[in-house]
Amino acid sequence: MSIATSVPHSASDSDTARRFARSGRARDGVLCTNAEFDAWFARQRLANRFEVTPVPFSRLRGWRFRTDTGDLAHDSGGFFRIEGLRVTGDLGEWSQPVINQREIGVLGILVKEFDGVPHLLMQAKMEPGNVNTVQLSPTVQATRSNHSGVHGGRAVPYLEYFTDRTGSGSDDGSGDGSGSRALARSRTRVIADVLQSEQGAWFLRKRNRNMLVEVDQDEDVPAHPDFRWLTLGQVDRLLHRDNVVNMDARSVLACLPRLPDEPSPGAFGHALHQGLRPGSWSLHSDAEILHWITGQKARRQLTQERIPLSEVAPWRRDHATISHPTGRYFRVIAAEVTAGNREVPGWTQPLVEPAGPGVVAFLTRRVNGVLHVLLHARPEAGCTDVLELAPTVQYQPCNHPGRPPRFSREAAAGDRLVYDALQSEEGGRFMNAQNRYRIAELGEGHELEVPEDFMWVTPRQMTGLLRHGYYLNVQARSLFAALLSLA
């Protein structure tokens, strides 16, 4: 295998990355200490009334099954639809229900520097499908239907810092918005802005705008009781707790440029530091990785055909669920939601509930002192472009009885685990969707040769891929945020 070096980041990228390294080292806060955060977050989970109750489909308000297709859709035409998808290709042929949400949402974290340290404005947000209801989310987490007011509720706080730049429908309602956009450009700086996908097994070509926007130090950002300014180090600390930082926040954090200016203690931390450095050694050059991804897409066959939900077989619908007769995969349910601190105090909606928890894992290995991550070129039913790069292991054990996927045994090696946490997937669409996220280190004697749909990639190369959409899937982005927290 060839050894290659990378092209260094630009000076501005390096400066931003080092500033966030400084924020990452701030493991406690001044604006909000860890103790203050823990007390505030506990109050958030107690202060507002949240109730999520499964109900029959007949009790959905504003949602109905279309008589011509059987699709489950909102009367406004907004939000999303549950429809049918027929898939053919190398993976076989099957049909399934799928979430079709063609709107591009905004997932944005606002950044501001206090006393020379960048802070992130994070929100305690209720989502109906979360196992513990309230989790830490980005500053803004809103679909187009949400921020354009289809739900008829309150405005989304801090939205103007992001939508003035997105072109997604939205000035502040005062004319053409040109004055507001000019003001936003004068007071903010975009750190990251990239379209990224979500779960390809359950969504059809879903994408959201992942954004980090920094506001000037002298900009007065209004305080809101459901939000707190935290350092990156504080958020990193919370990533190691079960079900605290939500999926959307993890996805945005993965897109944040980070360059530790000193290695963490221990051999793993040093190898990770080396793997993030510009010019770091790598088993494969950037060009070789892009060639491999393109070749994997070109060789695979994946045809997606939208079909009426009523034609999806052998799935069955009764008064309260749409499910597979084996009980595997997932089911579609309806829920009644009451939320004290959301834009709308109560609503009903469909949710997708997986059949069981999953396992998502990175295998890592040091090569010449540089950390490498083993990624998998993984096709999924709803992918925008055939496949994306997934974690080494990504599966639901209940769907693979007696035949776990490749590398699952290595991913379960408890004595080599460097990260292990239970994390929720997006609670706005999924009910009780949890995965065990793991990062395991293999010894340097482990074989480097892997199947053709796997490749060893450095963290620095993953950072480069994340500057563009549709390379790393949402599970890989979640794990990459966790990996960076170890730096």
Side-chain angles (χ1 to χ4, degrees):
M1 294 184 182
S2 61
I3 302 294
T5 58
S6 66
V7 177
H9 292 293
S10 69
S12 60
D13 285 344
S14 295
D15 177 66
T16 299
R18 287 190 170 86
R19 290 174 59 236
F20 279 102
R22 192 159 63 242
S23 184
R25 290 197 303 273
R27 307 295 283 186
D28 206 341
V30 175
L31 294 176
C32 178
T33 67
N34 291 338
E36 289 169 339
F37 170 84
D38 290 343
W40 167 77
F41 200 59
R43 289 195 304 271
Q44 287 290 315
R45 286 180 166 171
L46 295 173
N48 295 287
R49 178 170 169 260
F50 302 122
E51 292 182 7
V52 182
T53 306
V55 296
F57 290 126
S58 60
R59 286 183 52 185
L60 286 172
R61 298 186 299 274
W63 295 83
R64 66 191 73 253
F65 290 98
R66 300 304 187 216
T67 56
D68 53 343
T69 63
D71 294 354
L72 182 55
H74 195 263
D75 292 342
S76 67
F79 301 107
F80 61 94
R81 297 170 68 99
I82 306 293
E83 57 185 40
L85 179 68
R86 179 176 291 120
V87 181
T88 57
D90 296 342
L91 297 177
E93 180 175 350
W94 74 92
S95 60
Q96 66 170 83
V98 72
I99 304 172
N100 189 351
Q101 183 174 335
R102 305 311 294 267
E103 302 177 348
I104 298 176
V106 175
L107 307 178
I109 294 179
L110 198 63
V111 178
K112 186 177 179 180
E113 193 169 286
F114 296 93
D115 296 330
V117 178
H119 285 62
L120 313 177
L121 186 59
M122 306 299 291
Q123 176 184 182
K125 187 178 181 70
M126 175 271 180
E127 292 289 351
N130 289 344
V131 293
N132 49 5
T133 312
V134 175
Q135 296 188 12
L136 203 63
S137 83
T139 317
V140 168
Q141 177 183 320
T143 66
R144 185 191 294 264
S145 293
N146 289 141
H147 65 67
S148 62
V150 172
H151 52 44
R154 299 189 301 268
V156 177
Y158 308 108
L159 183 64
E160 67 273 14
Y161 291 101
F162 302 93
T163 52
D164 289 342
R165 291 182 176 274
T166 66
S168 56
S170 62
D171 58 281
D172 57 8
S174 56
D176 65 2
S178 59
S180 179
R181 283 191 288 272
L183 179 61
R185 289 189 176 92
S186 69
R187 69 192 185 191
T188 62
R189 179 176 72 93
V190 173
I191 296 171
D193 184 3
V194 59
L195 287 174
Q196 298 287 8
S197 63
E198 293 197 10
Q199 285 83 355
W202 301 330
F203 279 113
L204 178 61
R205 303 171 194 159
K206 176 69 165 63
R207 52 190 181 159
N208 276 321
R209 201 161 188 174
N210 287 232
M211 303 179 71
L212 290 117
V213 173
E214 184 168 14
V215 68
D216 289 346
Q217 294 181 55
D218 57 358
E219 171 72 14
D220 184 21
V221 179
H224 189 289
D226 296 335
F227 295 74
R228 286 293 184 272
W229 289 104
L230 303 176
T231 67
L232 183 55
Q234 288 179 287
V235 178
D236 283 346
R237 164 182 167 267
L238 297 170
L239 282 168
H240 292 252
R241 294 185 181 179
D242 291 350
N243 293 316
V244 172
V245 181
N246 81 356
M247 184 203 81
D248 294 309
R250 300 192 305 266
S251 177
V252 177
L253 289 168
C255 301
L256 177 65
R258 298 180 64 170
L259 178 63
D261 50 10
E262 58 185 42
S264 301
F268 184 88
H270 183 79
L272 175 55
H273 175 262
Q274 293 298 107
L276 283 166
R277 288 177 58 246
S280 58
W281 294 105
S282 56
L283 275 171
H284 306 282
S285 70
D286 296 355
E288 288 171 338
I289 291 170
L290 292 173
H291 173 66
W292 169 71
I293 295 170
T294 303
Q296 288 290 314
K297 290 181 177 181
R299 285 192 293 273
R300 303 294 185 93
Q301 295 292 323
L302 180 70
T303 301
Q304 301 159 329
E305 179 188 358
R306 294 168 59 191
I307 61 174
L309 183 60
S310 58
E311 295 181 11
V312 172
W315 294 75
R316 302 168 181 169
R317 176 182 133 199
D318 59 27
H319 73 288
T321 64
I322 301 171
S323 60
H324 196 272
T326 63
R328 295 180 189 170
Y329 312 118
F330 60 88
R331 62 178 187 158
V332 181
I333 64 170
E336 175 98 33
V337 184
T338 302
N341 70 343
R342 287 293 297 266
E343 297 85 10
V344 177
W347 69 92
T348 60
Q349 69 169 91
L351 289 166
V352 168
E353 184 174 30
V359 176
V360 178
F362 277 161
L363 291 184
T364 66
R365 185 193 187 285
R366 283 172 264 165
V367 185
N368 290 344
V370 176
L371 194 74
H372 284 65
V373 178
L374 186 59
L375 297 181
H376 180 207
R378 179 186 174 94
E380 290 188 295
C383 277
T384 298
D385 190 14
V386 183
L387 58 82
E388 292 185 325
L389 302 187
T392 322
V393 174
Q394 177 187 320
Y395 78 116
Q396 290 174 269
C398 64
N399 295 336
H400 298 264
R403 48 184 181 88
R406 289 170 293 188
F407 302 112
S408 56
R409 181 177 300 175
E410 291 89 339
D415 59 334
R416 293 178 175 176
L417 290 179
V418 295
Y419 178 84
D420 187 10
L422 191 63
Q423 302 288 9
S424 296
E425 303 309 311
E426 205 271 314
R429 299 292 174 266
F430 309 129
M431 185 74 174
N432 298 326
Q434 295 186 96
N435 287 311
R436 175 63 66 181
Y437 279 84
R438 290 172 168 161
I439 302 174
E441 186 182 17
L442 300 175
E444 294 193 35
H446 192 276
E447 178 60 58
L448 284 173
E449 294 293 336
V450 292
E452 65 175 2
D453 52 339
F454 289 81
M455 180 167 275
W456 292 104
V457 178
T458 68
R460 192 273 310 162
Q461 290 171 321
M462 294 172 70
T463 297
L465 292 172
L466 282 166
R467 297 166 75 96
H468 310 278
Y470 314 126
Y471 278 120
L472 268 66
N473 75 3
V474 68
Q475 291 89 348
R477 297 196 305 273
S478 279
L479 261 185
F480 190 57
L483 179 68
L484 294 177
S485 76
L486 301 171

